[in-house]
Amino acid sequence: MRALNADLHCHSTVSDGLLAPAELVRHAVGNGVELLALTDHDEIGGLDEAAKEAKQLGLRFVNGVEISVSWGDDQTVHIVGLGFDGGHAPLVEGLARVRSGRDSRAQRIAAELDKVGIHGAYEGALKYVGNPALISRSHFARYIVELGHAKEVKGVFDWWLAKGKPGYVGHPWASLEDAIGWIGGAGGLAVVAHPGRYRLSSAEMAAMLGAFKDLGGVGIEVLSGSHNEEHVREYAHLARRYGFLASRGSDFHGPGESWIDLGRLPDLPEDLTPVWTRLP
Ligand code: AMP
Ligand code: MN
Ligand code: MN
Ligand code: MN
């Protein structure tokens, strides 16, 4: 049987993507996507526009969000929520709290960048922001590229914005318990985003996945724009071991800025249960 072309992880201008929600949906349809979730960072304000456009174009669409979570010793992990009720008050209020720290964090990032000769970065990053509450490192990255310090956004993080680099500022995001609780309480499914991106030892990864499962998490991204073939094998293995549903998401942010285009990932390994078997 031909696999469904599902893409359950992408961003719009409501967070750090380059396309407006409706444009993103049109791009998905153009690329042959058959099931789409928009998963903006800590924000669900783009879902209505995307759902409306998807309905008009006959594309199956589910609500999504990517929640920033602090885990362990200043680690950040991302939890994707899928198929939830966007009106659920604890989710709406919880996300507002997660977003509320971003502006002061951005000012601290700018102060750190100033010390290494990148001046005016707060104002510079703001030029790229669609939603001021969602100012993120991606927006700083675009400004640093504009200044000519790097050719493309992907190269900026390794020099300036990743953990351990001059413009990195630690931040308390949501707890794993809260993020999973908000998603589950709203009737959605919680999925670990791009596990291959975390700098966790195997023991730390096992501890994180064990806690995630105990708290009600049900899925893991096996296919992600940031996974290579080895990651796919590793996370397929962990999906089997933990009994997780498997997800597939490009993490598309915009043309020219992403590892892989919308809907252009390979198929999931056939023995895994796709997360969309449990989605509306
Ligand atoms: P923030 O939520 O402000 O910490 O920003 C995180 C965002 O920065 C991620 O969602 C990605 O869009 C982007 N990002 C983080 N690390 C990298 C990287 N190494 N290369 C490209 N983009 C990255
Ligand atoms: Mn992002
Ligand atoms: Mn992420
Ligand atoms: Mn993402």
Side-chain angles (χ1 to χ4, degrees):
M1 205 174 73
R2 193 182 65 82
L4 185 77
N5 190 352
D7 197 325
L8 301 176
H9 187 151
C10 62
H11 299 273
S12 76
T13 46
V14 166
S15 64
D16 58 351
L18 296 174
L19 303 180
E23 286 178 306
L24 190 79
V25 167
R26 290 195 287 274
H27 186 58
V29 170
N31 277 10
V33 172
E34 297 166 299
L35 168 64
L36 182 74
L38 170 62
T39 56
D40 277 309
H41 297 285
D42 308 320
E43 170 66 275
I44 56 177
L47 296 180
D48 286 350
E49 178 185 322
K52 192 166 157 232
E53 186 72 9
K55 191 166 181 200
Q56 215 141 50
L57 299 178
L59 172 65
R60 183 177 164 201
F61 179 84
V62 294
N63 283 346
V65 67
E66 182 178 18
I67 305 182
S68 312
V69 163
S70 293
W71 166 256
D73 176 23
D74 189 29
Q75 301 276 353
T76 300
V77 301
H78 287 172
I79 301 297
V80 162
L82 297 172
F84 50 80
D85 164 13
H88 183 67
L91 174 70
V92 172
E93 288 156 18
L95 292 177
R97 279 200 305 282
V98 178
R99 290 194 296 274
S100 67
R102 279 191 177 264
D103 188 70
S104 58
R105 169 190 186 242
Q107 296 187 33
R108 289 176 59 207
I109 291 175
E112 292 302 315
L113 289 173
D114 193 68
K115 292 182 199 161
V116 294
I118 295 177
H119 308 301
Y122 178 74
E123 295 72 20
L126 270 183
K127 291 191 296 183
Y128 294 92
V129 171
N131 172 1
L134 243 298
I135 185 166
S136 86
R137 285 184 293 160
S138 306
H139 304 113
F140 282 95
R142 287 174 195 148
Y143 176 63
I144 292 170
V145 171
E146 176 195 317
L147 292 179
H149 294 294
K151 274 224 276 297
E152 52 174 13
V153 161
K154 286 172 203 151
V156 173
F157 284 81
D158 297 340
W159 289 96
W160 280 283
L161 297 168
K163 194 169 177 185
K165 302 300 171 186
Y168 180 83
V169 170
H171 188 74
W173 301 111
S175 69
L176 189 61
E177 183 175 4
D178 280 347
I180 296 170
W182 299 331
I183 295 165
L189 306 176
V191 174
V192 175
H194 46 60
R197 288 251 306 259
Y198 308 134
R199 281 187 243 153
L200 299 173
S201 66
S202 350
E204 290 167 333
M205 179 65 79
M208 196 273 286
L209 294 180
F212 172 78
K213 187 171 169 120
D214 289 346
L215 292 165
V218 295
I220 188 168
E221 285 182 355
V222 171
L223 293 173
S224 160
S226 33
H227 284 177
N228 58 31
E229 286 175 25
E230 198 180 315
H231 291 131
V232 175
R233 277 194 296 278
E234 168 76 5
Y235 299 109
H237 169 71
L238 292 178
R240 293 180 194 108
R241 172 183 292 181
Y242 287 84
F244 287 146
L245 300 165
S247 194
R248 177 182 194 259
S250 59
D251 206 357
F252 178 78
H253 282 69
E257 236 185 59
S258 289
W259 306 100
I260 195 152
D261 203 352
L262 273 182
R264 295 285 154 85
L265 291 159
D267 291 343
L268 283 170
E270 279 187 20
D271 66 301
L272 300 178
T273 307
V275 67
W276 53 89
T277 58
R278 296 261 305 272
L279 289 171

